[in-house]
Amino acid sequence: MSDSPPPAMRRDAARNRDRLLAAARQLFAQRGQDVALDEIARMAGVSRTTIYRNFATREDLAAMVFEDNAARIERCAAELRDSPDGIVTLLDFVLDMQLQHRGLAQLLSGADMEWLTGVARRVADSLELLLDAGRAAGVVLPGVGREDLMVAVSMPRARLLRPARCPASPVAVTLSCIET
């Protein structure tokens, strides 16, 4: 078996895959976990063959959306690296993403734990990247660590209270309330 990387995806195939991910992200957000792969293919403007060539099951597609979400979080963290309150912006971004993709967790309930742990570690690393700047800016209490942030990230329902009860950023409220 060769240790060489797999061949690069053709541009049209990569474009179709991106369109499938975008359609899946939108339909999972709008209609939840039960959306049919055929419907995702139709919205992406690709054939049924194309979606099944890329994703054998809805769970495989959900895993790729989840993986892509982690990559989006990493990119956002990198862009916010020099922002003193970047941690607040990043957590808002993560919570918004979770609210838009509530059905993904159910689709991923049977996923490989090692893979899920790896993705969670990537998200935690992205949050940790911004912790020191947040502490220095006073938006994160000195004792708050990456584990505390991961707990906060796992509770997206608090975000639903924002419009009526929390006029400030829910992340700022959460970060100021976490005590160690």
Side-chain angles (χ1 to χ4, degrees):
M1 183 172 263
S2 172
D3 286 336
S4 62
M9 189 179 278
R10 289 186 346 248
R11 272 189 261 161
D12 62 327
R15 194 172 34 253
N16 284 342
R17 189 173 179 91
D18 289 345
R19 290 167 55 192
L20 285 166
L21 287 173
R25 183 177 283 112
Q26 183 176 344
L27 287 172
F28 285 149
Q30 289 173 347
R31 304 232 308 276
Q33 67 182 16
D34 294 328
V35 65
L37 285 179
D38 290 354
E39 191 169 348
I40 294 169
R42 201 169 23 259
M43 179 178 227
V46 301
S47 69
R48 292 176 59 205
T49 304
T50 300
I51 195 166
Y52 286 104
R53 183 181 314 123
N54 283 275
F55 307 103
T57 66
R58 215 178 12 243
E59 291 78 12
D60 291 343
L61 180 55
M64 187 53 65
V65 169
F66 194 71
E67 183 86 30
D68 187 59
N69 285 349
R72 291 170 60 209
I73 291 166
E74 289 170 324
R75 286 190 302 273
C76 184
E79 290 171 11
L80 295 168
R81 183 176 227 147
D82 296 326
S83 176
D85 63 348
I87 189 70
V88 174
T89 303
L90 182 63
L91 284 170
D92 271 339
F93 178 76
V94 171
L95 292 173
D96 283 339
M97 186 181 290
Q98 285 184 338
L99 285 172
Q100 293 170 8
H101 301 101
R102 288 185 292 254
L104 282 182
Q106 291 171 329
L107 278 168
L108 296 172
S109 63
D112 177 64
M113 285 307 293
E114 188 174 330
W115 172 79
L116 277 173
T117 300
V119 174
R121 190 174 300 115
R122 289 172 52 199
V123 171
D125 290 348
S126 296
L127 294 170
E128 189 171 43
L129 187 69
L130 304 176
L131 262 177
D132 288 337
R135 283 189 204 101
V139 296
V140 178
L141 293 173
V144 174
R146 83 190 248 150
E147 294 82 15
D148 301 308
L149 293 179
M150 289 305 287
V151 169
V153 165
S154 70
M155 301 184 305
R157 286 191 198 132
R159 181 87 157 114
L160 293 174
L161 300 175
R162 181 178 180 181
R165 304 179 82 203
C166 301
S169 164
V171 173
V173 172
T174 300
L175 291 175
S176 66
C177 296
I178 295 176
E179 295 183 29
T180 56

